[in-house]
């Protein structure tokens, strides 16, 4: 009797435990369902995401031998700072030759302006002589009736008038030829001088660019130059990486893209800092094509032997500058992203939020070179005008 009672109590305990287990399982299932409905289904996660930014190449601007290198990898440089210097003997000689040619052109043009004035004065003198001869000829003809003037004198005067008129006509032709070079211009804007100025400015800019300068501020990377190395125009010598602005490119499966829109909020964590540091960004835009569309060898699926692979579409996600200042990142670092797709805004997928910074991506380094070349050209022009107004 006691054994039967113990067996019955054991079965009751087993049933009670099974019910408790079933209730716990159902509770967990309900919690999981609620979590899926209100949390997991409202976000897209991916660890296929990377930090990226602007990597500015610094190429050689002139051919030559590198004289000195001033920077190392990881060093911070400011815009305009000299990174390396190329031996400048040839560019210096070329610039000096073009400066001499510009000065010579200015002096030749001054001579052409003076020639115009000389011819004009010669015409005035010849016209005065012609007027005198014409007046004498008229007097001689009036006096011929009285016999006081010889016929030969009248004939000689007529020949002088014809000769003087021919000389004036020749001077007018020379004047037109001389004016063709200078009419409507002065020394500063004459085409001959402008052509010489352009050649000089190119040579001067080449001379200036023997010093290789940083176009933007940032950190030196990929230094590929040593003293004594021969470099060619366009050869990449350094890279400069500004650490702001940066953004994240996340590659999302095409099966998860339907609800993602520009403006969706994103929580990002990096392997660099771990989960304790979070960044709060926004989806700025969706790439106009999947990654395979821009590969060097795009897929060719028309052969019949085709295995379907789920494609990934790159998204651009912003990174706030304030958060980057507190916890700096670098291009190439891996990120984890959680995109909130609760649909709180009606942004069209075809209307990205991507914007160029207020000042754009620009450098005024080379514009400064042009201004310096123009100032130098004007100094050469003034020096060769002899005090005359250019």
């Amino acid at each position: 009797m006691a054994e039967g009672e113990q067996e019955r109590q054991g079965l009751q305990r087993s049933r009670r435990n099974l019910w408790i287990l079933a209730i716990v399982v159902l509770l967990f299932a309900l919690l999981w369902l609620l979590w899926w409905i209100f949390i997991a289904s409202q976000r897209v996660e991916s660890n296929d995401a990377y930090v990226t930014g602007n990597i500015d190449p610094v190429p050689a601007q002139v051919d030559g031998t590198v004289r000195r290198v001033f920077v190392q990898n990881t060093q911070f440089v400011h815009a305009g700072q000299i990174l390396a210097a190329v031996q400048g003997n040839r560019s210096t000689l070329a610039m000096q030759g073009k400066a001499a040619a510009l000065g010579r052109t200015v002096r030749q043009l001054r001579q052409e302006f003076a020639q115009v004035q000389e011819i004009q004065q010669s015409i005035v003198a010849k016209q005065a002589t012609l007027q005198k001869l014409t007046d004498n000829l008229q007097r001689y003809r009036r006096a011929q009736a009285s016999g006081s003037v010889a016929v030969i004198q009248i004939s000689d005067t007529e020949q002088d008038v014809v000769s003087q008129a021919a000389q004036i006509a020749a001077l007018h032709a020379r004047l037109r030829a001389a004016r063709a070079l200078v009419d409507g211009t002065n020394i500063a804007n004459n085409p001959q001088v402008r052509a010489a100025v352009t050649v000089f400015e190119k040579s001067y800019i080449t001379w200036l660019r023997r010093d290789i300068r940083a176009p933007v501020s940032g950190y030196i990377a990929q230094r590929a130059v040593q003293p004594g190395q021969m470099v060619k125009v366009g050869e990449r010598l350094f890279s400069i990486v500004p650490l702001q602005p940066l953004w994240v490119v996340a590659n999302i499966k095409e099966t998860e893209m339907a609800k993602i829109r520009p403006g969706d909020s994103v929580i990002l964590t990096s392997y660099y800092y771990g989960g304790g540091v979070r960044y709060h960004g926004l989806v700025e835009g969706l790439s106009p094509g999947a990654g395979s569309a821009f590969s060097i060898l795009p897929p060719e699926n028309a052969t019949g032997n085709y295995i379907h692979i789920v494609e990934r579409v790159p998204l651009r996600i912003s990174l706030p500058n304030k958060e980057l200042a507190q916890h700096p990142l670098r291009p190439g670092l891996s990120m984890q992203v959680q995109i909130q797709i609760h649909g709180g805004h009606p942004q069209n997928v075809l209307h990205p939020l991507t914007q160029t910074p207020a000042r754009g991506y620009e450098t005024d380094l080379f514009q400064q070179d042009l201004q310096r070349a123009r100032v130098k050209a004007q100094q050469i022009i003034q020096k060769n005008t002899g005090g005359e107004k250019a």
Side-chain angles (χ1 to χ4, degrees):
M1 184 70 181
E3 292 180 358
E5 182 67 22
Q6 290 178 354
E7 184 178 353
R8 185 177 61 81
Q9 292 177 354
L11 288 173
Q12 290 177 347
R13 284 196 300 270
S14 296
R15 290 171 182 172
R16 186 170 59 250
N17 291 338
L18 286 175
W19 276 107
I20 292 173
L21 179 61
I23 292 172
V24 170
V25 170
L26 288 174
L27 181 61
F28 273 106
L30 179 61
L31 291 175
W32 181 88
L33 180 62
L34 293 174
W35 174 82
W36 169 257
I37 293 174
F38 295 104
I39 298 177
S41 64
Q42 301 301 315
R43 69 187 184 190
V44 173
E45 298 184 3
S46 176
N47 61 358
D48 188 358
Y50 305 91
V51 179
T52 188
N54 299 308
I55 300 178
D56 297 284
V58 182
Q61 299 290 327
V62 296
D63 298 337
T65 303
V66 176
R67 178 175 60 83
R68 185 176 178 185
V69 179
F70 297 92
V71 295
Q72 286 284 8
N73 283 333
T74 73
Q75 183 176 343
F76 183 84
V77 295
H78 296 278
Q81 182 175 334
I82 297 178
L83 308 181
V86 175
Q87 189 68 33
N89 292 342
R90 287 184 294 179
S91 60
T92 299
L93 293 174
M95 183 269 293
Q96 291 174 346
K98 302 306 180 185
L102 174 57
R104 183 172 61 251
T105 301
V106 172
R107 291 174 180 268
Q108 289 174 348
L109 188 62
R110 287 176 56 200
Q111 184 178 3
E112 290 171 359
F113 274 107
Q115 186 177 8
V116 169
Q117 296 177 350
E118 178 187 0
I119 295 173
Q120 288 174 335
Q121 296 303 317
S122 296
I123 290 174
V124 172
K126 291 292 185 181
Q127 287 176 338
T129 302
L130 177 61
Q131 184 63 45
K132 181 180 178 181
L133 290 173
T134 302
D135 293 341
N136 289 340
L137 180 60
Q138 292 177 353
R139 288 196 300 272
Y140 294 158
R141 286 174 176 172
R142 287 196 298 268
Q144 184 181 12
S146 62
S148 57
V149 177
V151 175
I152 188 64
Q153 187 174 3
I154 295 175
S155 178
D156 289 343
T157 304
E158 289 175 345
Q159 293 298 323
D160 290 341
V161 168
V162 173
S163 175
Q164 201 70 18
Q167 292 179 32
I168 291 174
L171 286 173
H172 276 292
R174 286 181 56 195
L175 180 62
R176 287 193 295 271
R179 280 179 169 172
L181 299 175
V182 300
D183 257 3
T185 68
N186 52 39
I187 292 178
N189 63 18
N190 186 270
Q192 296 180 68
V193 173
R194 292 310 311 160
V197 165
T198 300
V199 173
F200 168 76
E201 288 176 348
K202 289 181 180 178
S203 178
Y204 190 81
I205 289 174
T206 300
W207 177 75
L208 285 176
R209 292 181 182 174
R210 73 198 188 283
D211 291 334
I212 301 167
R213 298 177 180 271
V216 296
S217 298
Y219 293 86
I220 294 293
Q222 297 180 307
R223 171 186 156 180
V225 61
Q226 298 292 341
Q229 180 178 337
M230 287 289 297
V231 296
K232 298 291 184 182
V233 173
E235 181 179 348
R236 187 168 181 161
L237 307 182
F238 305 91
S239 294
I240 296 181
V241 184
L243 294 187
Q244 286 193 8
L246 296 177
W247 59 93
V248 169
V249 173
N251 300 293
I252 306 299
K253 293 180 180 179
E254 58 183 321
T255 54
E256 300 176 324
M257 288 292 298
K259 295 182 180 180
I260 296 178
R261 294 290 185 273
D264 284 340
S265 59
V266 185
I267 297 175
L268 307 100
T269 57
S270 70
Y271 293 96
Y272 187 84
Y273 293 109
V277 175
R278 290 189 170 190
Y279 300 87
H280 302 83
L282 294 175
V283 175
E284 292 187 319
L286 286 66
S287 173
S292 61
F294 302 105
S295 63
I296 297 177
L297 297 174
E300 178 54 68
N301 298 328
T303 60
N305 298 323
Y306 170 61
I307 299 175
H308 181 267
I309 298 175
V310 175
E311 296 289 346
R312 290 181 179 267
V313 179
L315 307 180
R316 180 183 171 115
I317 300 172
S318 65
L319 285 171
N321 289 336
K322 291 183 179 179
E323 295 181 356
L324 284 174
Q326 295 174 353
H327 299 94
L329 295 172
R330 285 161 174 76
L333 295 180
S334 300
M335 301 289 286
Q336 292 181 311
V337 300
Q338 292 182 357
I339 305 173
Q340 308 301 319
I341 56 173
H342 45 74
H345 56 84
Q347 184 70 24
N348 192 310
V349 70
L350 299 178
H351 296 161
L353 304 180
T354 312
Q355 292 184 347
T356 304
R359 292 192 59 189
Y361 298 114
E362 64 177 353
T363 177
D364 59 358
L365 178 65
F366 304 112
Q367 183 65 26
Q368 293 174 359
D369 288 349
L370 180 58
Q371 293 299 328
R372 292 173 65 182
R374 287 175 174 172
V375 170
K376 188 64 178 178
Q378 291 303 314
Q379 291 174 352
I380 294 174
I381 292 174
Q382 293 295 334
K383 182 178 179 180
N384 288 275
T385 53
E388 298 176 8
K389 186 177 179 180

